[in-house]
Amino acid sequence: MSIIHLSAVSSEGPSAAELTAIEQEWPLIAAGLDLLDAEIAFINAGPYASELETRRVRRAERRVLEIGRDLADRATGTEIVA
């Protein structure tokens, strides 16, 4: 998995290669946002956090790991069949 590096501020915007890299990593970005939402809800619940909120955080963490693994597998050209 790589981190996307955009060039310094440019009036031209990101290149086609940069946009392609962002598009390929978008599922991981979206999963990270879902995890952040779940964590915020859990923290806001404080001592009243339910088991449902705890499970939501665990599911979101698992999803981030799954997508990260899939992206890493694609980058190395290997496929693991579960």
Side-chain angles (χ1 to χ4, degrees):
M1 184 167 55
S2 64
I3 296 177
I4 300 168
H5 296 284
L6 298 177
S7 57
V9 176
S10 168
S11 62
E12 298 174 17
S15 69
E18 291 168 333
L19 289 173
T20 300
I22 292 169
E23 186 176 315
Q24 289 174 349
E25 292 185 16
W26 188 254
L28 183 59
I29 295 167
L33 290 173
D34 291 342
L35 174 57
L36 181 61
D37 287 342
E39 289 172 335
I40 289 170
F42 181 80
I43 290 168
N44 284 337
Y48 305 106
S50 68
E51 180 62 28
L52 180 64
E53 289 163 324
T54 303
R55 280 189 256 152
R56 182 178 173 214
V57 170
R58 282 195 308 244
R59 278 194 311 269
E61 288 172 337
R62 194 168 39 251
R63 185 76 179 134
V64 167
L65 292 173
E66 288 171 0
I67 292 172
R69 183 194 64 221
D70 292 345
L71 286 174
D73 288 346
R74 267 192 253 151
T76 60
T78 60
E79 275 299 316
I80 298 174
V81 177

